Amino acid sequence: DAGVTQSPTHLIKTRGQHVTLRCSPISGHKSVSWYQQVLGQGPQFIFQYYEKEERGRGNFPDRFSARQFPNYSSELNVNALLLGDSALYLCASSPLWRSYNSPLHFGNGTRLTVT
Amino acid sequence: EDQVTQSPEALRLQEGESSSLNCSYTVSGLRGLFWYRQDPGKGPEFLFTLYSAGEEKEKERLKATLTKKESFLHITAPKPEDSATYLCAVQDDSGGGADGLTFGKGTHLIIQP
């Protein structure tokens, strides 16, 4: 079975630009979460979507937004990019809303570099 | 605010040399504690979930244990393929709606042949 797939794998953008990252969850998984992992740090929670509704939001500015589509795939959008947005962006899926009883399955991420 | 502290930051062992990784946590109420393994350039791979103090789980050379304040990941007779960054994460029961995990910075483990 296919795991969580993310595209693109790598991306270079300039400060002030906008970026869209995409994620396809494991088949049958209805929950998608986004995490930001800065080099040398653990992942930090950005958003969770379940059944196309936002169910959780981490401590990130309004420049970050996301949505989930009827097929449960998801997009993460970041506006007005800053150098500090350079990171590995991870998407994770799970079958259920509450991931403590159904662990997250992560994709391999999109490496975003902002110059 | 939930906090997770992992130690050591890095650990180098000889093949077959057993050791333990530590994860100390502070949460208002623990819903679950998770261990993940992350290889370079890859996303985290799920290893274990622990729910209550005293619980233990094993998988091959790995055993995870949980107390009210910390968790240990014991590695017995490790092999070079066990080299990776091991991440600990917690989920609280605040019920505020955010369902995100709080991760530690990880322990970078190197097993030398």
Side-chain angles (χ1 to χ4, degrees), chain A residues 35 37 41-43 45 48 55-56 90 97-101 103-104 106-108, chain B residues 31 34 36 38 42-44 46 49 51 87 91 97-101 103-105:
Chain A
Y35 286 78
Q37 187 174 25
Q41 304 291 314
F45 174 65
Q48 188 210 12
R55 297 300 182 111
L90 295 163
W97 172 24
R98 291 293 186 189
S99 55
Y100 58 82
N101 54 7
L104 298 178
F106 284 87
N108 287 330
Chain B
R31 181 75 76 179
F34 305 82
Y36 284 85
Q38 187 172 27
K42 299 290 182 83
F46 171 74
T49 307
Y51 295 105
L87 296 165
Q91 187 163 49
D99 199 41
L101 303 184
F103 280 86
K105 293 182 179 180

Side-chain angles (χ1 to χ4, degrees), chain A residues 11-23:
Chain A
L11 200 54
I12 299 175
K13 290 285 190 178
T14 303
R15 276 179 299 174
Q17 286 187 318
H18 163 271
V19 68
T20 297
L21 310 181
R22 295 178 174 83
C23 171

